[in-house]
Amino acid sequence: MSIIFSENDKTFTLHTNDTTYQMKVDKFGFLLHLYYGRKTKGCMDYLLTYADRGFSGNPYEAGKDRTYSMDVLPQELPCQGMGDYRNTAVVIKNADGSYDSSFRYKGHNILNGKYSIKGLPAVYASEDEAQTLEIYLEDPVTKVQITLLYGVLPELNIITRSAVIKNAGTGKIYLEKAQAACLDFVSGQYDVISFYGRHTMERNVQRTPVMHGTQSIVSRRGTSSHQYNPMIILAGKETTEDAGNCYALSFVYSGSFKGEVEKDQFNQTRVLLGLSDDLFSYPLEVGDVFYVPEVVMTYTNTGLAKLSQNLHTCFRTHLCRGKYKESVRPVLLNSWEASYFDFTGKSIYQLAKQAADLGIDMLVMDDGWFGKRNDDYSGLGDWYVNEEKLGETLGSLIKKINSLGVKFGIWFEPEGINEDSDLYRAHPDWALSVPGRDPVRARYQLVMDFSRKEVVDYLFDKMCKVLDQGNIEYVKWDMNRSLSDCYSCATKDQGRVQYDYVLGLYDFLERLIKKYPDILFEGCSGGGGRFDAGMLYYTPQIWCSDNSDAMDRLFIQYGTSFGYPMSSVAAHVSAVPNHQTGRITPFNTRGIVAMSGSFGYELDPDKLSEEEKIKIQDQIKSYKKYAILVQKGLYYRLSDPFKDEISAWEFIAADASEVLVSAVMLEVHGNMPINYVRLKGLIPDTMYCEKTSGRIYASDALMETGIPLPAKMGEYHAYQMYFTIERN
Ligand code: GLA
């Protein structure tokens, strides 16, 4: 049993294989947090300490006892109005206009299996893989009810948390803030690791000490964003890849979010993660229910590599769904960097022929095949095939491509709309915009009001009509701007629009994957602007960045690897000079970097030399050989590209029988010191054979000193080494 309630101490203890989480209902009915960390046993309420803290308030029931203060005690659900002046998890504007709540324990239930959340993505598990704890809380005055949901997946060392908020009172209320998870640490000095970025340079890694005050990580863009990722790692000061304690919190949601890390007056640390409270004021009529998206949490005392592996396994096996969850993804050739908007049916067919010759599995026709769409100023919204541009029907083009033995995929951006489109002319109010104001344009487009069901229904229908025209086996779902003008003419309560927009998006995606279970869906938002656990529930892979430069990708993929499995990272080989940076990198290096994710090409093979074409065929052979290892193996970061001269990483089979090590020289200098790549996770006291050289190495030496990288002339060389265990 992974969830235990002790009647005696009124404690709830959640056990995974290696971790324990504990909380307690105290004498006033508050739900206090006691512990989250390495596996332990017994009641830990001795961690709660009491002292007269002067200006920190005391609940009324405490009477003359000034030592009891919610301003100091660790909690599961800190709310406005309880005398806790730290950051809150929930704020409700009550029917009488007051903002105070005081949630108290009413009961609980322990169930087998993992809860799901209506309309929202969530980790799933079978009855015997997980347990759920529901804790019922109620405000005694307003009668608002909150059910805290905890999912425990022992084998994966994962604990999830979500909440359901019900207005069981007598008047309309507004939810002003809803954080999904709250972790209070009564002691310890921590660093916070977060992931910031920009378009074409996502998920840079930042590690800073937790300081007095609040460090917040926020997206108010309506998408999870290029700028901040909805994931927080809290790590001990000394924690490295290989050792030390660390916690990860990852929000399973694709809209605006807020993470808060606060060190309080007594050096205690509070971490919150959930919905952004900017532009959020969600109305709940009497009887209405609100679902807070979930946060996935994991802990380890063995360093950041294991922390990431816990998330990778959970997301890959218990969040991603569908046919492609476990199977090797097709190698694809995408038309975007090959020809941008400038293509015809003939040139697309020509690309597909090249794909067939080179052994590429699929041709993807990117942006530009619909409406009047020859640049990004018009056409978005008109989801009918531009047969004039293609010179034929979509169906016949697909048939021709399929007859080459090549699969066909296509690009959509259902959330975007150009003012210069038939759809906008017919339904200007279907785009988010504030009446009487000029809307903010981005990439010269507006955003469809996905909070409205009729808009989602219309677009779903149009998209299906295209998908039904032929054998389409892949869809890239793109979204190329942040939300603004968050006003929907369908509601008076504009504080609900951003959240309802995301529900509309999820509803659309859910309907699509149900209707087309054989299509591989890839997420995208100007590259990696919506790379989050929420999207992975619908799309098992996401275009990681619009930056296809192999060198920049090393940094982007490194940052992404902290929270997301490499099987979800779509990565392509593109032409040089690179279109985003102008950099020239060796073909081999581009291949090695891209084949560390879901592999493909983004170039016009007609423009390549014969020698390069042969390299493509070799790369595809290598990728197919390593694909299962890359998709399902454990991932180790072997260097920190932000600090080291090399970028190196490893995939190792779960039984450590085979290992793929990749390394790229980031810098070249005269008379350079040698860089050694130290392997990880091998079976000690065993021999491994590096297959290209045939050389045998002792595992302990590989892990202790490593392998020297050749000091070759020229920039950005990459090396791939494939080891298998020697059985005797
Ligand atoms: C975004 C995507 C690109 C491409 C273009 C098309 O930028 O990230 O890969 O699909 O849109 O407009």
Side-chain angles (χ1 to χ4, degrees), residues 180-334:
C182 174
L183 286 181
D184 269 348
F185 298 88
V186 288
S187 68
Q189 298 283 332
Y190 297 99
D191 286 343
V192 56
I193 303 175
S194 59
F195 303 87
Y196 69 96
R198 56 187 185 273
H199 178 227
T200 68
M201 209 58 219
E202 298 89 341
R203 289 171 293 286
N204 298 277
V205 182
Q206 173 172 275
R207 182 170 181 160
T208 51
V210 175
M211 311 280 270
H212 286 283
T214 300
Q215 183 172 340
S216 46
I217 299 140
V218 173
S219 165
R220 48 179 72 87
R221 293 170 182 267
T223 61
S224 49
S225 90
H226 299 89
Q227 286 70 16
Y228 299 99
N229 195 261
M231 176 179 52
I232 297 173
I233 293 175
L234 203 66
K237 292 252 161 246
E238 309 300 326
T239 296
T240 62
E241 286 287 343
D242 310 312
N245 62 331
C246 41
Y247 301 81
L249 293 90
S250 182
F251 196 27
V252 188
Y253 186 68
S254 310
S256 298
F257 72 88
K258 184 175 199 174
E260 298 163 275
V261 183
E262 177 181 13
K263 191 192 261 195
D264 76 6
Q265 56 183 331
F266 303 109
N267 302 332
Q268 306 185 109
T269 300
R270 170 169 291 173
V271 185
L272 293 155
L273 183 59
L275 295 168
S276 167
D277 49 355
D278 287 324
L279 295 176
F280 181 76
S281 177
Y282 204 93
L284 293 178
E285 301 285 354
V286 173
D288 279 0
V289 167
F290 184 90
Y291 299 92
V292 183
E294 78 177 3
V295 162
V296 170
M297 297 182 281
T298 187
Y299 165 84
T300 178
N301 57 8
T302 59
L304 296 165
K306 177 74 169 99
L307 194 78
S308 296
Q309 288 165 3
N310 288 352
L311 291 175
H312 295 174
T313 309
C314 174
F315 291 171
R316 193 169 59 72
T317 63
H318 287 74
L319 186 64
C320 290
R321 298 178 293 169
K323 178 175 151 184
Y324 284 95
K325 170 182 156 181
E326 294 290 348
S327 54
V328 172
R329 317 280 161 77
V331 176
L332 55 89
L333 173 61
N334 181 295

Side-chain angles (χ1 to χ4, degrees), residues 172 174 281 283 487-497:
K172 183 175 181 179
Y174 287 86
S281 177
Y487 182 97
S488 170
C489 48
T491 179
K492 285 208 164 56
D493 289 308
Q494 302 305 326
R496 65 182 300 159
V497 173

Side-chain angles (χ1 to χ4, degrees), residues 199 336 341 366-367 373 411 443 476 478 480 524-527 543 546 602:
H199 178 227
W336 184 241
F341 294 107
D366 209 281
D367 195 355
R373 182 76 169 168
W411 178 98
R443 205 192 187 200
K476 177 170 167 188
D478 208 343
N480 280 318
C524 179
S525 178
W543 182 227
D546 268 350
E602 183 111 5

Side-chain angles (χ1 to χ4, degrees), residues 92 103 142-147 164-169 173 284-290:
I92 294 168
F103 286 94
T142 63
K143 302 295 177 201
V144 173
Q145 298 169 352
I146 299 190
T147 302
V164 181
I165 301 172
K166 179 169 184 188
N167 181 4
I173 61 170
L284 293 178
E285 301 285 354
V286 173
D288 279 0
V289 167
F290 184 90

Side-chain angles (χ1 to χ4, degrees), residues 34 88 127 142 287 311 339 502 594 644 660 696-697 707:
L34 294 180
T88 45
E127 292 273 302
T142 63
L311 291 175
S339 49
V502 180
D644 300 329
L660 180 67
I696 310 286
Y697 297 88
I707 283 212

